[in-house]
Amino acid sequence: EDELGDALRCETVKDYEAALALYVASDFAGARAVLERSPADPPSCALAERCAMLEKNPPPLPWDGVWVSHSK
């Protein structure tokens, strides 16, 4: 493995962790902005899509950060 690839993966993980904290705090726009820095990362893309949905249809407060999927 090359050092550049490792650095990118490490940065992607740090971004995802930061975005997840924003997501749980109901800052969906902030989380999506962070996640969109990693467009080639499938988990980041999936969570960014969820954030976009929650921006349009926010969950009731207080929200515990749990996402219930209604489809496969």
Side-chain angles (χ1 to χ4, degrees), residues 13-66:
V13 169
K14 287 179 185 177
D15 282 349
Y16 190 91
E17 289 172 346
L20 190 57
L22 293 167
Y23 169 86
V24 170
S26 301
D27 182 358
F28 306 117
R32 188 170 50 84
V34 173
L35 293 162
E36 287 176 347
R37 295 192 294 223
S38 303
D41 180 53
S44 295
C45 292
L47 189 55
E49 286 179 25
R50 185 179 305 165
C51 287
M53 286 189 289
L54 290 168
E55 282 180 80
K56 292 177 185 172
N57 299 300
L61 297 176
W63 185 58
D64 61 5
V66 173

